[in-house]
Amino acid sequence: MKKALVVLLAAVMVIALAACGKQPDPTQAPTQAPTQAPTQAPTEAPTQAPTEAPTEAEKELADESHAIWTAHGQYLLADGTQNAWGGKDSEIYEKSALTAIKLSDVKAISEELYSALSAKEVKYLYTIDLIFGTNDAGWTTRFLKDGKLYLANGSFAVKVAQCTADVDGNNKVYAEDQWISDPHSAHLEALTPDTLFVPVWQEEKDENGFSWSDNPVVTGGAGLYTLVIAQYKNASSPEAAGYGMGLVLKEAKAAFAEYEEIVEFVPADHTYGIVGGFAGSGWGNDGADVPMEAAGENTWTGEVELKAGDQFKVRADNDWTNNWGPEDTDNFTAEADGTYVVTITFEGSNGKVSYEMKQPEGLADPNHEAWVAHGQYLLADGTQNGWGGKDSEVYEASALTAITLEDVKAIDEELFNALSEKDVKYLYTIDLIFGTNDAAWTTKFFKDGKMFLANGSFAVKVAQCSAEVDGDIKVYSEDQWISDPHTAHLEALTPDTLFVPVWQEEKDENGFSWSDNPVVTGGAGLYTLVIAQYSTPSAPEAAGYGMGLILKEAMPAFAEYEEIVVFVPADHTYGIVGSFAASDWGNAGEDVLMEADGENVWKGEVELKANDQFKVRADNDWTNNWGPADADNFVAEADGTYIVTVTFEGSNGTVSYELKP
């Protein structure tokens, strides 16, 4: 069978060749393969790849640096979903996300918008369909069109934000990285001015009350719009927008509220209130605005309790038609808990808001536990006061009360006027009784060109104190004495009732220096003491503190002031007094006697322990005493016998000492 098939195929082949006019030579192999490969590769590929990347018009201009661009506002998305501002849930963020498009796609949306964008250097380009003006946002906004001001429902306001995203479980949590428009950073322009109003990009309000903190507004009526927004390659600046937005109406719809032309605003025709995120307001959702009262021509003021971080602004008539915030952002923000006094003042129809935190507890010093009165006079309730180191109960009884500058007006008009000229930082007061008890020592003061001797119960100092808790009590310590050498320059604000010694290390011609005490010079009685710390620090040329004393009630003195005649050193005896055992500041015995050692020089020896304090006084009495120029007392450096010397130049004594070898 196979043999027959081979014979048949050979016969067919012979017939075919014969038909071609050529006889095959069965004895010779063919000289050429029946087909031949090309001797040369084609000079060109049948098709050629493009030599250039697609143009801007041919690719989607997406922003790779942000997760999404999102539409914000209280209008509706195209599917009827209620949109919102920042802080909405992730689902609404994603529903309100814009779609990146090519520049050429804009041509199908609007030829005019395409032409406007073609003239720009577009970096990113996005679009979304939105429904404006058909729902009630619960507030109103304004826009300017054809030279007229209009009122619009808040559902016509619109912003876009470039957002970042963090993954939280199965959700993305979005956050606004850049609002468009935004003060300082995102200058937006309207590409379709017939349908979109964009306020001026400047901090100061313009003649119509607009600034960069106001929202863009849809001005073409209620309906379904295609929003197109672009970021340009150039950065935002006052001279050039960095972003452009256009709105193209696809389908007109019935408005919840039509635009309403605004007539000239007359401040006197309205009421004003404070509204915000604070408790009781909820931006007007939780209650009426905090009312403001007229406080002069074109001025209204009100008080509101705020917590740190609470935001607020002022609006008219419990409505958002007319509202006022800061120049550079939407709302004011409370810096700390407290009562705030908010004021709005109008120039023409333009309102400006200011505020300050009220000081109901006075100008208190937050750096110290208490300001405490010191001295051997009486507290207003008759309690015997003392110097530093008294018990905690007396510290607290002699603590001063913080007050406001206005409070001083009720104490004394002249003192109020004196303090009003100062930059007062902290302000305190206390009532004290001076001169009715015996302090068992005397002090000096200078008044009307004369020197006087006064009982120690007329001397007074105040100290700024810290406190540490020890069990159930506070243990107080003096941080800053007022006045004090080097650190606290005090001035007398009522020189008729208070003597304050010179604030200098060297004694003056009357023997006073900064180590001497202030003294009450208005006679014995109940006084209101007022003391202030100024904002400027103490310096030789300028006091850092001021004190005044106002007599409330005169009382009998334990001892009247006594004029001092000129001190003649040779008329007195001298002794060493101090904290050492044999003296106890004069309570344990006579002073250690000093002997004359030349003209106007007296010298004595005393046994001291390290840290014993001492000074020299005349006649075993405190009327005339001498210590170091920069402190109250000398301090022994080590145990031993000390040689103490007092030398006089005129009536001024200078003490020196040395450890005996």
Side-chain angles (χ1 to χ4, degrees):
M1 180 67 181
K2 289 182 180 178
K3 188 175 181 179
L5 184 58
V6 169
V7 171
L8 179 60
L9 288 171
V12 171
M13 191 174 192
V14 169
I15 294 169
L17 289 170
C20 294
K22 184 176 180 180
Q23 296 294 321
D25 184 355
T27 63
Q28 187 172 356
T31 59
Q32 191 173 345
T35 61
Q36 186 174 6
T39 58
Q40 185 176 350
T43 58
E44 291 186 8
T47 59
Q48 186 172 6
T51 59
E52 295 182 6
T55 66
E56 297 291 334
E58 295 172 330
K59 70 175 183 178
E60 292 175 352
L61 300 177
D63 177 4
E64 301 296 337
S65 61
H66 291 97
I68 52 173
W69 286 32
T70 308
H72 291 278
Q74 286 174 274
Y75 41 81
L76 305 180
L77 303 179
D79 65 359
T81 300
Q82 173 69 59
N83 196 19
W85 295 99
K88 52 200 176 190
D89 65 40
S90 298
E91 184 180 352
I92 302 298
Y93 266 102
E94 290 167 359
K95 276 193 169 188
S96 56
L98 283 71
T99 301
I101 56 172
K102 301 178 293 216
L103 185 57
S104 59
D105 293 334
V106 181
K107 205 166 192 177
I109 298 170
S110 164
E111 284 279 356
E112 288 186 18
L113 182 55
Y114 172 74
S115 298
L117 281 169
S118 296
K120 309 288 182 180
E121 286 193 85
V122 177
K123 187 176 184 181
Y124 307 129
L125 188 61
Y126 283 81
T127 189
I128 191 172
D129 283 357
L130 301 169
I131 300 171
F132 294 100
T134 63
N135 61 305
D136 181 19
W139 53 280
T140 54
T141 188
R142 300 181 309 147
F143 67 87
L144 184 70
K145 187 174 183 179
D146 300 328
K148 295 179 181 179
L149 277 174
Y150 292 90
L151 188 69
N153 190 276
S155 58
F156 282 102
V158 58
K159 271 192 175 180
V160 171
Q162 296 163 303
C163 296
T164 58
D166 288 330
V167 176
D168 183 10
N170 296 324
N171 293 324
K172 283 186 177 179
V173 179
Y174 295 91
E176 288 71 26
D177 191 37
Q178 175 65 69
W179 287 92
I180 311 165
S181 60
D182 188 71
H184 301 292
S185 54
H187 182 179
L188 177 71
E189 65 179 352
L191 298 172
T192 55
D194 287 341
T195 59
L196 178 65
F197 166 75
V198 174
V200 291
W201 199 68
Q202 63 187 42
E203 187 171 357
E204 295 297 320
K205 289 186 180 294
D206 66 10
E207 66 275 10
N208 296 299
F210 292 106
S211 71
W212 58 18
S213 62
D214 294 298
N215 292 317
V217 181
V218 179
T219 65
L224 173 64
Y225 285 79
T226 296
L227 179 152
V228 175
I229 186 167
Q231 181 174 346
Y232 306 149
K233 291 180 179 178
N234 61 278
S236 291
S237 70
E239 300 76 27
Y243 297 81
M245 185 190 293
L247 283 160
V248 178
L249 182 64
K250 293 180 72 173
E251 180 187 347
K253 294 182 181 287
F256 175 84
E258 298 294 340
Y259 303 133
E260 178 183 339
E261 187 178 350
I262 299 172
V263 294
E264 182 183 356
F265 183 86
V266 180
D269 293 343
H270 300 270
T271 61
Y272 302 92
I274 306 161
V275 64
F278 53 90
S281 174
W283 294 108
N285 297 316
D286 298 339
D289 299 349
V290 176
M292 303 174 75
E293 301 292 335
E297 188 176 2
N298 293 326
T299 301
W300 285 259
T301 188
E303 293 186 6
V304 60
E305 292 293 326
L306 300 174
K307 299 289 187 185
D310 278 348
Q311 294 191 347
F312 63 98
K313 65 196 318 181
V314 172
R315 64 178 182 171
D317 310 315
N318 279 272
D319 184 81
W320 287 110
T321 305
N322 296 287
N323 66 86
W324 299 267
E327 299 288 351
D328 59 350
T329 186
D330 288 338
N331 309 308
F332 298 104
T333 303
E335 295 85 6
D337 296 359
T339 302
Y340 285 74
V341 180
V342 182
T343 302
I344 184 167
T345 303
F346 288 92
E347 289 187 7
S349 60
N350 289 334
K352 187 170 184 179
V353 176
S354 61
Y355 69 92
E356 62 179 353
M357 187 174 173
K358 194 176 179 182
Q359 301 288 343
E361 297 179 0
L363 299 174
D365 176 3
N367 304 310
H368 294 97
E369 180 70 22
W371 285 32
V372 179
H374 291 276
Q376 286 175 276
Y377 41 81
L378 304 180
L379 303 178
D381 64 0
T383 302
Q384 174 69 58
N385 197 19
W387 294 100
K390 52 200 175 191
D391 65 40
S392 297
E393 185 177 349
V394 179
Y395 265 101
E396 289 166 2
S398 54
L400 283 71
T401 302
I403 57 173
T404 65
L405 187 57
E406 193 66 25
D407 293 331
V408 181
K409 209 168 193 177
I411 297 170
D412 184 75
E413 282 277 355
E414 288 187 17
L415 181 55
F416 170 76
N417 292 336
L419 282 168
S420 296
E421 295 176 357
K422 309 291 183 180
D423 188 5
V424 176
K425 188 175 184 181
Y426 309 129
L427 188 62
Y428 284 82
T429 189
I430 191 172
D431 284 357
L432 301 169
I433 300 171
F434 294 99
T436 63
N437 61 305
D438 182 18
W441 55 278
T442 55
T443 187
K444 298 185 302 177
F445 67 88
F446 195 73
K447 186 176 182 180
D448 299 329
K450 297 178 181 179
M451 190 84 70
F452 292 89
L453 188 68
N455 190 277
S457 59
F458 282 102
V460 59
K461 269 193 176 181
V462 172
Q464 296 164 303
C465 295
S466 57
E468 293 182 359
V469 176
D470 183 9
D472 295 329
I473 62 170
K474 285 183 177 178
V475 179
Y476 293 86
S477 59
E478 290 72 27
D479 285 341
Q480 175 65 71
W481 287 93
I482 311 164
S483 62
D484 190 70
H486 302 292
T487 53
H489 184 179
L490 177 70
E491 65 179 351
L493 298 171
T494 55
D496 287 341
T497 58
L498 179 66
F499 167 73
V500 175
V502 291
W503 199 67
Q504 63 186 40
E505 187 171 356
E506 297 298 321
K507 289 185 180 293
D508 66 9
E509 67 276 11
N510 297 302
F512 292 105
S513 70
W514 57 19
S515 61
D516 293 300
N517 292 317
V519 182
V520 178
T521 66
L526 173 64
Y527 286 80
T528 297
L529 180 151
V530 175
I531 187 167
Q533 181 175 345
Y534 308 147
S535 295
T536 51
S538 292
E541 304 78 22
Y545 298 81
M547 185 192 291
L549 283 160
I550 305 301
L551 181 64
K552 294 180 72 175
E553 180 186 349
M555 294 180 175
F558 176 83
E560 298 295 340
Y561 304 133
E562 180 183 338
E563 187 178 348
I564 300 172
V565 294
V566 176
F567 184 85
V568 179
D571 293 343
H572 300 272
T573 61
Y574 302 92
I576 305 162
V577 65
S579 63
F580 51 92
S583 173
D584 188 22
W585 296 110
N587 297 315
E590 297 288 317
D591 299 350
V592 176
L593 189 64
M594 303 173 74
E595 301 290 340
D597 189 43
E599 187 177 2
N600 292 328
V601 177
W602 282 260
K603 188 174 291 187
E605 294 186 6
V606 61
E607 293 293 326
L608 299 175
K609 299 288 188 184
N611 297 319
D612 277 347
Q613 295 187 24
F614 64 98
K615 63 198 317 182
V616 172
R617 64 178 182 172
D619 308 318
N620 280 274
D621 184 79
W622 286 109
T623 304
N624 297 286
N625 66 85
W626 300 268
D630 60 350
D632 288 337
N633 309 307
F634 296 105
V635 179
E637 293 86 5
D639 296 359
T641 302
Y642 284 75
I643 301 170
V644 182
T645 303
V646 61
T647 303
F648 287 92
E649 289 186 9
S651 60
N652 290 334
T654 301
V655 176
S656 60
Y657 68 93
E658 61 180 345
L659 183 62
K660 191 174 181 180

